[in-house]
Amino acid sequence: MAFSADELRVLRRALATALNPAPLQDEDVQDCLRLAESVDDAVREAGRLRAFLLADLARYREALPGSLSGYLELLRDALGAGYDPGADDLAALRALRSHPRAAGLLERCQVLAERSVRARLARVSQAVATAPRARLLALPGGRGAADEPKPATPKQPVPKKRPAPKPSEVFPPRRRPVPPPPPEERAAG
């Protein structure tokens, strides 16, 4: 990020005021607010540019191997801007390692990816180490419960449960329909 001469002057005054608190004039306050707005705009623009660069990199990666030179150029620019190569980038570079520039970028990307993973693991382990530990409480029914004598409770008679019915009791067998009598027997006579 680059500052103009006026922006540097405002920044210098703001830092001096932060170090040696003194009342500010209205003009100085307005200058600081404009500088903060300019910095916010620059950060938003950098985010948009980064999103565009990453989308462009993904398009070139999908068009490989036909877009080899463009992809390698974009990846080198993205790495220079602080991009951490992902698994897709590493896989694409492994497939292209026969090309000398791709092989060089693959080595660089592997080192950067390993650093990134180590940094994430360090942050996670530090967060776990500094997290307050919960106190474990004994639960009823554990080993300690077997050692303690149980209070005697009078046993009440347990009512006998009715056994589960058999399927033949619930669904009686179907009876076959009785065939009608032969025609000779039907004649009344």
Side-chain angles (χ1 to χ4, degrees):
M1 182 181 297
F3 291 105
S4 70
D6 287 335
E7 290 172 336
L8 283 176
R9 181 182 48 80
V10 171
L11 185 61
R12 194 175 303 129
R13 278 192 314 209
L15 290 173
T17 303
L19 293 174
N20 299 317
L24 289 175
Q25 296 178 3
D26 289 341
E27 181 182 321
D28 291 339
V29 171
Q30 293 301 321
D31 288 342
C32 288
L33 291 174
R34 277 193 296 274
L35 177 63
E37 188 176 315
S38 295
V39 169
D40 289 342
D41 287 342
V43 168
R44 282 191 296 272
E45 185 61 31
R48 283 192 295 269
L49 182 63
R50 180 178 173 83
F52 174 77
L53 178 66
L54 294 180
D56 211 20
L57 184 65
R59 279 193 297 276
Y60 273 81
R61 186 183 326 112
E62 290 171 5
L64 285 173
S67 63
L68 176 68
S69 61
Y71 173 70
L72 295 178
E73 189 69 31
L74 280 174
L75 182 59
R76 191 171 345 118
D77 291 346
L79 293 174
Y83 172 67
D84 285 332
D88 293 338
D89 296 311
L90 293 172
L93 289 172
R94 283 187 191 110
L96 302 168
R97 74 177 94 189
S98 62
H99 191 279
R101 284 179 44 203
L105 271 176
L106 175 61
E107 290 176 18
R108 182 176 173 196
C109 286
Q110 285 174 332
V111 169
L112 291 173
E114 185 176 336
R115 273 191 212 150
S116 175
V117 168
R118 287 182 189 274
R120 278 185 268 149
L121 287 175
R123 284 192 303 267
V124 168
S125 65
Q126 184 180 12
V128 168
T130 59
R133 300 240 172 166
R135 210 171 134 217
L136 297 177
L137 302 174
L139 299 176
R143 282 188 188 169
D147 298 340
E148 296 174 8
K150 295 182 181 178
T153 56
K155 290 192 174 184
Q156 297 177 355
V158 178
K160 291 187 177 182
K161 288 188 175 179
R162 194 172 147 218
K166 297 178 185 175
S168 61
E169 295 173 347
V170 176
F171 305 105
R174 287 190 184 183
R175 295 204 164 91
R176 294 191 180 182
V178 178
E184 298 103 30
E185 295 178 11
R186 270 196 269 165

